Amino acid sequence: MTTQQQINYYVFDRIEKDDLGCYWGHKGESFCEVFPLSTEDTEDDLIVSGYAKCDAPGTATFLVEESSWKTLQDA
């Protein structure tokens, strides 16, 4: 029997789309790229790949790399 992990969920101050179609999550003065959530990947797949779910007030759910979120917290 395997134990299912729960995916982490982070909240940004805001998420904005730039002119090239990339999304950026802002936390204070720092930011990192976030990605639209696809229904193709399971939460287990995302956890193994190093992703967490995220959003900001008034936005849909996105994905952020755990390492990028950690970098924001260390800034």
Side-chain angles (χ1 to χ4, degrees):
M1 178 169 70
T2 59
T3 304
Q4 246 185 344
Q5 293 180 325
Q6 189 170 8
I7 194 164
N8 290 329
Y9 203 102
Y10 303 118
V11 179
F12 285 92
D13 297 332
R14 66 186 189 285
I15 295 176
E16 297 176 331
K17 185 177 181 180
D18 68 15
D19 294 340
L20 300 175
C22 298
Y23 292 90
W24 301 94
H26 297 263
K27 188 76 173 166
E29 297 295 318
S30 301
F31 61 92
C32 67
E33 189 171 10
V34 297
F35 308 93
L37 179 63
S38 169
T39 58
E40 296 174 16
D41 293 317
T42 67
E43 287 193 355
D44 285 338
D45 292 337
L46 295 171
I47 292 167
V48 168
S49 299
Y51 285 91
K53 289 184 177 180
C54 64
D55 69 4
T59 69
T61 302
F62 287 82
L63 296 175
V64 62
E65 292 178 323
E66 287 279 5
S67 58
S68 294
W69 179 260
K70 182 177 179 342
T71 299
L72 291 180
Q73 301 312 297
D74 293 342

